[in-house]
């Protein structure tokens, strides 16, 4: 049982009666924690208090006097506090109080009192001088930094502990662009780093460009979202920082687990659209190819993360920026959805949307996501899970056609949705899908060098090809459905996740 009576201006001697408290505190046999600090209590410490099974006693900042017991809770210095009760004596030796049985010489006491008064006066003067200097310094710094906030820790819940700017500076080798830079986006720069708390696991430090309009708002939105979500297919946050740098400028950063699949290839975007090196190493490009099974697995991972945000998280969230560059792949090619800079909390589980104000709508349209933004957002519509469904549909089509929605071929009313829809499926699926997947319709080997069906008769080969065409057509059709212009024509994410899982299961069934 806990009894907390601190800072209530209670007066009188112990044992006392306050409100509904029994006449004697010593009668509270189940009492474990007792806090009487910062009152005006007087008298001696009640007899029998040491007999209670107290684990913590705080009677500091009162006017108690007399003998301090030596038994019970009073045995352990860390279990009780009696500071600022200047008339107490005795107790365990560690307290270093006066012996209650030694009379004090009045002359010595008088001199001691004078010394104490002089000492207190000096201490007060030093404190006032220090406070004055500190106030002037704070005024100067606020003025020089245009009243920007001082070092604070972002509240991301009990799971995360904040780090300082100095720690991140050391972790990233001084934010060195030549050795630690992972990438630069519209709102920030990402560095690879090693925190001293765990030198065996590298991290990715995302530093927003605070000078850009909306960067601070984006940082806070990402903090709010990450504080409430936890899923195997969402990028995991390690820690955070909201501080000032060595020049007194504001500094903010989010620290994520490092997707160790190499600096250049960690994003799904880089796997789908690799940048050919100067040496034109085709073997390297082939090595980074995503076969059908890998693409289906990534599609399942991404839809699982989005379904969690929409239907299973503590507060429903619309991600608002689903695209290949925000999907990161780890060593096992497991997908993790990241970048919650545009995420929006929905009002409640029964309300699927909230109205965008003009600034929100325009910012979504210009933050590097052209081609993935649902049509209703572009017209100042509502933030809702339907917008994420649209973006996921575009992502699916891009994954399996390997055509970006901003490709030069899409003009004069033609877009990736119409392109994928205009071909008769599954008969003409070869005209839609990524050419790298065509080999999986033929009798050639897969990328592991193992032949799946070269010993089968022609009839069984035809059956296999038709089933593969149907699988490819099914995933394209899901993307087309999700990217419908009208939100009412799209499925909900909990329906999409079932459909994508079904396609992957069908594929695994014919490959087993």
């Amino acid at each position: 049982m806990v009894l907390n009576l601190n800072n209530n201006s209670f007066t009188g001697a112990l044992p006392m009666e306050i409100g509904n408290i029994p006449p004697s505190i010593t009668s509270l046999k189940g009492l474990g924690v007792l806090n009487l600090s910062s009152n005006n209590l007087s008298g001696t410490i009640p007899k029998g208090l040491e007999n209670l099974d107290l684990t913590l006693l705080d009677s500091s900042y009162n006017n108690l006097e007399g003998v301090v017991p030596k038994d019970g809770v009073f045995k352990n210095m860390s279990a009780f506090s009696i500071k600022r009760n200047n008339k107490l004596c005795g107790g365990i030796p560690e307290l270093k109080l006066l012996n209650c049985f030694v009379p004090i010489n009045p002359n010595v006491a008088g001199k001691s009192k004078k010394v104490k008064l002089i000492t207190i006066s000096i201490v007060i003067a030093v404190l006032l001088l220090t406070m004055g200097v500190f106030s002037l310094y704070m005024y100067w710094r606020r003025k020089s930094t245009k009243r920007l906030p001082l070092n604070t820790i972002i509240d991301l819940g009990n799971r995360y502990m904040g780090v300082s700017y100095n720690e991140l500076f050391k972790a990233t080798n001084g934010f060195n662009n030549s050795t630690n830079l992972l990438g630069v986006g519209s709102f920030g720069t990402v560095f690879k780093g090693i925190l001293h708390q765990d030198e065996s696991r590298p991290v990715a430090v995302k530093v927003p460009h605070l000078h850009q309009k909306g960067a601070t708002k984006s940082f806070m939105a990402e903090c709010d979202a990450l504080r409430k979500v936890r899923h195997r297919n969402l990028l995991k946050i390690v820690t955070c920082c909201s501080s000032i740098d060595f020049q007194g400028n504001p500094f903010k950063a989010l620290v994520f687990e490092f997707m160790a699949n190499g600096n250049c290839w960690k994003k799904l975007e880089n796997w789908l659209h690799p940048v050919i090196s100067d040496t034109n190493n085709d073997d390297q490009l082939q090595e980074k190819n995503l076969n059908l099974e890998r693409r289906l697995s990534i599609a399942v991972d991404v839809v699982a993360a989005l379904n969690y945000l929409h239907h299973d998280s503590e507060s429903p969230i619309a991600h608002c920026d689903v695209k290949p560059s925000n999907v990161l792949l780890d060593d096992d090619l497991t997908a993790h959805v990241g970048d919650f800079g545009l995420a929006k909390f929905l009002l409640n589980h029964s309300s699927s949307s909230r109205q965008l104000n003009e600034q929100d709508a325009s910012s979504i349209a210009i933050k590097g996501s052209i081609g993935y933004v649902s049509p209703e957002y572009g017209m100042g519509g509502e933030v809702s899970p339907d917008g994420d469904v649209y973006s996921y549909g575009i992502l699916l089509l891009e994954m399996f056609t390997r055509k970006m929605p901003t490709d030069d071929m899409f003009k004069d009313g033609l877009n990736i949705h119409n392109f994928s829809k205009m071909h008769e499926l599954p008969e003409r699926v070869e005209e839609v899908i990524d050419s790298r997947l065509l080999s999986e319709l033929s009798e050639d080997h897969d990328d592991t060098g193992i032949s799946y069906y070269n010993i089968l008769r022609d009839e069984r080969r035809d059956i296999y090809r038709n089933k593969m065409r149907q699988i490819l057509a099914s995933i394209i059709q899901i993307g087309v459905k999700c990217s419908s212009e009208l939100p009412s024509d799209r499925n909900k994410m909990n329906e999409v996740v079932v459909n994508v899982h079904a396609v992957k299961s069908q594929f695994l069934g014919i490959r087993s």
Side-chain angles (χ1 to χ4, degrees):
M1 183 170 67
V2 175
L3 182 58
N4 188 353
L5 301 174
N6 74 309
N7 200 22
N8 278 294
S9 301
F10 290 140
T11 60
L14 291 171
M16 77 290 189
E17 181 176 359
I18 303 174
N20 296 322
I21 299 172
S24 176
I25 289 177
T26 58
S27 66
L28 299 177
K29 299 301 181 183
L31 191 61
V33 176
L34 177 60
N35 188 346
L36 300 170
S37 62
S38 301
N39 286 292
N40 195 25
L41 300 173
S42 59
T44 61
I45 297 174
K47 265 201 160 190
L49 196 59
E50 67 270 30
N51 297 328
L52 297 179
D53 293 328
L54 291 173
T55 59
L56 183 63
L57 170 65
D58 189 354
S59 59
S60 57
Y61 295 91
N62 283 291
N63 295 312
L64 300 178
E65 60 187 67
V67 180
V68 178
K70 297 182 179 180
D71 297 322
V73 71
F74 296 97
K75 288 181 178 179
N76 186 356
M77 276 284 290
S78 63
F80 74 100
S81 174
I82 57 171
K83 62 183 178 182
R84 298 300 294 271
N85 289 277
N86 300 324
K87 297 180 181 179
L88 291 173
C89 60
I92 58 178
E94 290 86 347
L95 292 175
K96 298 181 180 179
L97 296 177
L98 291 176
N99 192 320
C100 295
F101 303 103
V102 177
I104 301 175
N105 187 315
N107 295 327
V108 174
K111 292 179 180 179
S112 176
K113 188 174 181 180
K114 290 181 181 178
V115 171
K116 286 183 179 178
L117 288 174
I118 294 173
T119 302
I120 291 172
S121 299
I122 293 174
V123 170
I124 292 174
V126 172
L127 286 175
L128 290 174
L129 179 62
T130 303
M131 290 175 64
V133 173
F134 181 76
S135 298
L136 288 173
Y137 170 73
M138 293 298 294
Y139 174 77
W140 170 81
R141 193 156 86 167
R142 281 199 302 269
K143 194 172 181 180
S144 64
T145 59
K146 299 180 180 179
R147 301 184 181 275
L148 291 170
L150 295 176
N151 185 27
T152 57
I153 297 299
I154 296 297
D155 178 19
L156 287 179
N158 294 329
R159 286 186 286 142
Y160 310 114
M161 297 295 293
V163 294
S164 66
Y165 171 81
N166 186 46
E167 287 178 278
L168 295 183
F169 186 86
K170 293 178 180 177
T172 58
N173 192 24
F175 301 102
N176 193 309
N177 287 345
S178 61
T179 59
N180 292 73
L181 181 66
L182 294 179
V184 180
S186 58
F187 268 110
T189 304
V190 183
F191 299 90
K192 182 179 178 180
I194 302 291
L195 292 173
H196 70 84
Q197 295 94 328
D198 188 355
E199 297 183 355
S200 64
R201 298 176 62 186
V203 295
V205 182
K206 180 180 178 181
V207 182
H209 301 152
L210 296 181
H211 62 277
Q212 290 197 9
K213 183 179 179 181
T216 300
K217 181 179 178 181
S218 174
F219 174 82
M220 295 308 299
E222 193 157 11
C223 287
D224 286 341
L226 290 167
R227 181 168 56 88
K228 292 182 177 289
V229 299
R230 196 169 195 176
H231 188 273
R232 68 181 294 271
N233 296 121
L234 293 175
L235 189 60
K236 294 180 180 63
I237 186 171
V238 175
T239 185
C240 58
C241 178
S242 181
S243 182
I244 54 175
D245 62 19
F246 296 146
Q247 287 74 43
N249 300 314
F251 175 86
K252 299 182 186 297
L254 289 170
V255 182
F256 298 94
E257 65 175 357
F258 180 66
M259 295 289 101
N261 217 309
N263 292 356
C264 179
W265 300 101
K266 66 175 185 173
K267 295 181 180 180
L268 174 60
E269 178 183 52
N270 298 128
W271 285 75
L272 294 175
H273 313 290
V275 178
I276 300 177
S277 63
D278 293 337
T279 57
N280 195 22
N281 190 338
D282 292 334
D283 292 336
Q284 182 185 17
L285 297 178
Q286 179 63 30
E287 194 177 288
K288 299 299 179 182
N289 182 34
L290 294 173
N291 61 20
L292 179 55
E293 183 175 358
R294 288 170 178 167
R295 297 190 204 201
L296 287 172
S297 295
I298 292 169
V300 167
D301 290 341
V302 175
V303 76
L306 297 175
N307 184 60
Y308 166 81
L309 293 177
H310 292 184
H311 300 287
D312 297 326
S313 63
E314 177 184 343
S315 299
I317 297 173
H319 185 279
C320 295
D321 202 16
V322 179
K323 55 183 179 180
S325 61
N326 286 338
V327 176
L328 306 182
L329 306 179
D330 62 19
D331 284 335
D332 299 322
L333 294 182
T334 299
H336 303 261
V337 177
D339 200 337
F340 286 79
L342 300 179
K344 304 291 179 183
F345 287 93
L346 305 177
L347 292 176
N348 51 54
H349 289 273
S350 60
S351 174
S352 62
S353 63
R354 73 172 177 87
Q355 187 68 34
L356 272 172
N357 60 36
E358 184 177 346
Q359 181 180 356
D360 287 337
S362 61
S363 63
I364 286 177
I366 64 174
K367 289 181 180 176
S369 302
I370 295 173
Y372 304 93
V373 180
S374 61
E376 64 269 20
Y377 285 2
M379 296 183 290
E382 297 178 339
V383 169
S384 76
D386 296 327
D388 285 352
V389 173
Y390 178 91
S391 301
Y392 178 73
I394 298 297
L395 181 141
L396 271 187
L397 296 179
E398 181 173 356
M399 282 180 62
F400 291 93
T401 66
R402 209 161 62 90
K403 298 184 187 301
M404 299 179 68
T406 55
D407 195 285
D408 291 339
M409 70 174 289
F410 298 130
K411 56 185 178 181
D412 299 328
L414 180 65
N415 56 35
I416 192 171
H417 170 86
N418 295 334
F419 168 79
S420 304
K421 185 179 180 180
M422 65 189 293
H423 295 83
E424 187 175 346
L425 302 176
E427 290 79 8
R428 297 174 59 190
V429 71
E430 290 92 339
E431 300 176 33
V432 179
I433 64 168
D434 178 8
S435 59
R436 296 184 179 189
L437 299 176
L438 290 177
S439 62
E440 303 199 35
L441 292 175
S442 68
E443 62 181 14
D444 295 334
H445 301 316
D446 73 335
D447 62 1
T448 64
I450 302 172
S451 177
Y452 282 99
Y453 47 82
N454 59 358
I455 61 173
L456 300 177
R457 296 192 306 263
D458 290 344
E459 291 182 5
R460 298 185 65 183
R461 291 175 183 172
D462 290 339
I463 293 174
Y464 180 86
R465 291 191 194 108
N466 289 335
K467 287 182 177 180
M468 289 292 289
R469 285 193 187 96
Q470 185 59 57
I471 288 170
L472 289 166
S474 296
I475 200 68
I476 293 294
Q477 288 165 345
I478 292 173
V480 168
K481 176 75 172 175
C482 289
S483 59
S484 297
E485 183 173 358
L486 296 177
S488 58
D489 292 337
R490 306 168 199 159
N491 288 330
K492 300 301 180 184
M493 199 64 77
N494 54 3
E495 298 171 319
V496 180
V497 71
V498 172
N499 295 338
V500 177
H501 269 285
V503 175
K504 183 181 178 183
S505 297
Q506 185 182 0
F507 169 79
L508 294 177
I510 68 171
R511 298 300 289 264
S512 61

